[in-house]
C-alpha cells in the first residue's frame, strides 16, 4: 500500500505572520518589552533618573495589573480599589525586580501583584476577624468543594472534602464556618421564620435595673440599723408599693407624719451612703456566717399599737 502524501497547509491570508526563529514571544498583549529600561534601572544609582525610568516601566505594565485585578471582581471589593491595590503590587515588583537573575519580569510581577491583592482581601475585607490559618483552610475547602460539586453533582459532605483534600474533618468544619465570615449578614436582614422581624430586633438591651444594684448593696446594711417603725414604713412604701395613706391607716399614724418619716429616713440613708463613698467605708460588717444583711423587710417586732391620728 502506497504511503499517504502529507498535505501542505497554506496560511490564511489574514493570519498574523509567524515570528522568526529565536524571537521572543509575548504571552499577552499587555506584556510590553521593557527589558532594556529595567537593565538601566538596575545599573543606575538612586536618584531622579532612576525614579523616572521606574515610573515609565510602571505605566507600561499598568494594563497587565488591571487585567490581574479583574480576576478578583465580584468578591465584595470595588473595581477601582482592586486596580489601586494591583498597581501598588506592580510598583513593588518594579522596585524589587533584578534582571541579573535571568527571569522575565512578567514571571516575577504576576505573583507579586496577585499576592498583594490577596493580602488586601485577607487583611482588610473580612467582616469578622479570622486567624490566618483558618483563612488558608477556607480557600482550600472552597476549591475542593467546587471541584466535588462539579464531579458529583451535589454538595459534598465534610468527610468527602476531608478525604479529597487530605485534611481532618475538624479543619474542614472550621473552614466551612469561616466561609460565611467574610461578609457577615446585616442586622437589618429578616430573621428566618419571623416575618417582619430583623436580626436587630433579637439583640438584647442594657437592663436599666443594673444601675440600682450598687445602690441597693450599699444601702442594705444601713437599713438594718433603722428603728423598727422606720424600717416597716420603708418596706410598706417601697417593697409593698403601698400609698402613704394606706401606711398611715395600718400603723395608726397621720399621712403627714408618714410623709415626714419617709423623707427624713431617706435623707439619712442617702447622707450615710454618700459619706461612706467619700471615705471608702463599705458600711457595717456582714451578719452571721459572713452573709450580707438583708435589704428592707418587715420588722420582727410586734405590730405597733394603733394610735389616734395626729399623734
Amino acid at each position: 500500500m502506497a504511503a499517504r502524501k502529507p498535505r501542505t497547509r497554506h496560511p490564511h491570508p489574514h493570519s498574523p505572520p509567524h515570528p522568526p526563529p529565536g524571537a521572543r514571544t509575548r504571552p499577552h498583549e499587555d506584556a510590553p518589552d521593557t527589558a532594556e529600561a529595567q537593565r538601566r534601572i538596575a545599573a543606575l544609582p538612586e536618584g531622579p533618573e532612576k525614579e523616572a525610568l521606574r515610573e515609565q516601566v510602571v505605566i507600561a505594565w499598568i494594563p497587565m495589573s488591571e487585567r490581574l485585578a479583574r480576576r478578583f471582581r465580584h468578591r465584595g471589593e470595588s473595581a477601582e480599589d482592586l486596580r489601586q491595590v494591583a498597581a501598588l503590587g506592580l510598583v513593588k515588583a518594579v522596585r524589587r525586580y533584578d534582571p541579573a537573575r535571568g527571569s522575565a519580569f512578567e514571571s516575577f510581577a504576576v505573583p507579586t501583584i496577585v499576592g498583594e491583592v490577596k493580602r488586601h482581601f485577607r487583611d482588610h475585607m473580612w467582616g469578622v476577624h479570622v486567624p490566618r490559618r483558618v483563612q488558608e483552610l477556607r480557600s482550600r475547602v472552597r476549591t475542593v468543594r467546587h471541584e466535588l460539586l462539579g464531579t458529583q453533582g451535589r454538595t459534598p459532605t465534610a468527610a468527602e472534602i476531608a478525604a479529597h483534600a487530605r485534611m481532618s474533618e475538624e479543619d474542614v468544619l472550621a473552614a466551612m464556618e469561616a466561609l460565611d465570615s467574610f461578609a457577615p449578614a446585616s442586622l437589618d436582614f429578616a430573621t428566618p421564620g419571623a416575618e417582619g422581624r430583623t436580626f436587630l430586633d433579637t439583640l438584647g438591651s442594657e437592663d436599666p435595673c443594673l444601675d440600682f444594684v450598687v445602690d441597693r448593696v450599699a444601702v442594705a446594711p444601713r437599713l438594718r440599723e433603722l428603728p423598727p417603725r422606720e424600717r416597716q414604713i420603708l418596706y410598706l412604701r417601697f417593697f409593698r408599693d403601698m400609698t402613704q395613706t394606706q401606711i398611715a391607716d395600718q400603723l395608726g399614724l397621720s399621712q403627714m407624719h408618714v410623709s415626714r418619716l419617709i423623707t427624713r429616713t431617706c435623707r439619712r440613708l442617702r447622707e450615710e451612703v454618700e459619706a461612706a463613698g467619700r471615705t471608702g467605708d463599705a458600711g457595717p460588717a456582714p451578719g452571721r456566717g459572713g452573709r450580707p444583711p438583708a435589704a428592707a423587710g418587715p420588722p420582727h417586732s410586734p405590730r405597733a399599737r394603733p394610735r389616734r391620728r395626729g399623734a
Side-chain angles (χ1 to χ4, degrees):
M1 186 175 179
R4 193 178 223 178
K5 186 176 181 181
R7 296 175 60 185
T8 303
R9 286 191 174 185
H10 300 282
H12 193 274
H14 298 292
S15 61
H18 293 286
R24 297 179 59 185
T25 59
R26 295 182 300 170
H28 299 96
E29 292 299 325
D30 54 14
D33 186 5
T34 57
E36 180 61 30
Q38 286 162 331
R39 283 192 291 268
R40 290 179 58 194
I41 291 174
L44 287 172
E46 293 293 336
E49 185 178 359
K50 189 170 187 174
E51 286 299 322
L53 279 175
R54 283 172 174 167
E55 184 177 351
Q56 293 176 12
V57 173
V58 169
I59 294 174
W61 286 90
I62 278 291
M64 184 198 70
S65 71
E66 293 181 347
R67 171 173 57 83
L68 296 175
R70 287 194 292 271
R71 294 183 183 177
F72 299 89
R73 62 184 183 272
H74 308 311
R75 295 193 185 182
E77 184 62 290
S78 65
E80 179 60 29
D81 287 345
L82 287 176
R83 288 194 293 267
Q84 294 279 351
V85 176
L88 177 61
L90 174 60
V91 171
K92 292 181 178 180
V94 171
R95 288 185 171 274
R96 298 172 184 172
Y97 176 65
D98 184 5
R101 299 195 175 188
S103 60
F105 175 72
E106 185 175 9
S107 62
F108 176 79
V110 169
T112 303
I113 296 171
V114 172
E116 188 69 24
V117 177
K118 289 183 177 180
R119 191 177 303 110
H120 172 76
F121 276 92
R122 185 192 69 201
D123 297 340
H124 302 287
M125 294 299 297
W126 283 82
V128 178
H129 176 71
V130 176
R132 182 173 180 178
R133 175 179 173 275
V134 179
Q135 294 184 23
E136 295 172 351
L137 292 176
R138 171 185 175 272
S139 299
R140 290 176 58 188
V141 168
R142 183 179 59 183
T143 302
V144 173
R145 190 179 183 182
H146 286 312
E147 292 177 358
L148 295 178
L149 182 62
T151 56
Q152 299 178 355
R154 59 175 177 83
T155 302
T157 64
E160 293 172 341
I161 295 175
H164 189 82
R166 297 180 180 179
M167 300 166 54
S168 65
E169 288 193 35
E170 291 78 7
D171 288 343
V172 172
L173 293 175
M176 292 178 71
E177 290 180 359
L179 288 174
D180 298 328
S181 299
F182 186 77
S186 172
L187 292 177
D188 295 328
F189 284 177
T191 55
E195 185 177 355
R197 191 179 184 188
T198 64
F199 286 111
L200 185 61
D201 298 330
T202 63
L203 297 180
S205 58
E206 184 177 353
D207 190 346
C209 294
L210 291 177
D211 296 335
F212 302 104
V213 172
V214 176
D215 296 337
R216 296 188 63 169
V217 171
V219 80
R222 290 162 180 85
L223 290 174
R224 296 279 294 181
E225 297 181 330
L226 292 176
R229 185 177 64 172
E230 279 76 355
R231 286 192 62 222
Q232 185 175 18
I233 290 175
L234 293 185
Y235 172 74
L236 296 176
R237 179 68 186 94
F238 297 106
F239 289 84
R240 298 288 299 275
D241 202 23
M242 294 175 62
T243 64
Q244 294 181 6
T245 303
Q246 292 172 333
I247 297 172
D249 292 339
Q250 180 169 331
L251 300 182
L253 304 174
S254 67
Q255 184 270 332
M256 186 63 68
H257 194 186
V258 171
S259 177
R260 287 196 299 265
L261 288 174
I262 292 176
T263 303
R264 183 178 64 191
T265 305
C266 290
R267 185 189 307 115
R268 172 188 169 184
L269 293 173
R270 184 182 300 106
E271 292 173 353
E272 291 179 357
V273 171
E274 291 176 351
R278 290 192 297 268
T279 60
D281 182 13
R288 295 180 180 178
R291 298 178 60 186
H300 297 288
S301 59
R303 178 175 174 179
R305 182 179 298 175
R307 292 187 296 177
R308 189 179 60 235
R309 286 183 180 272

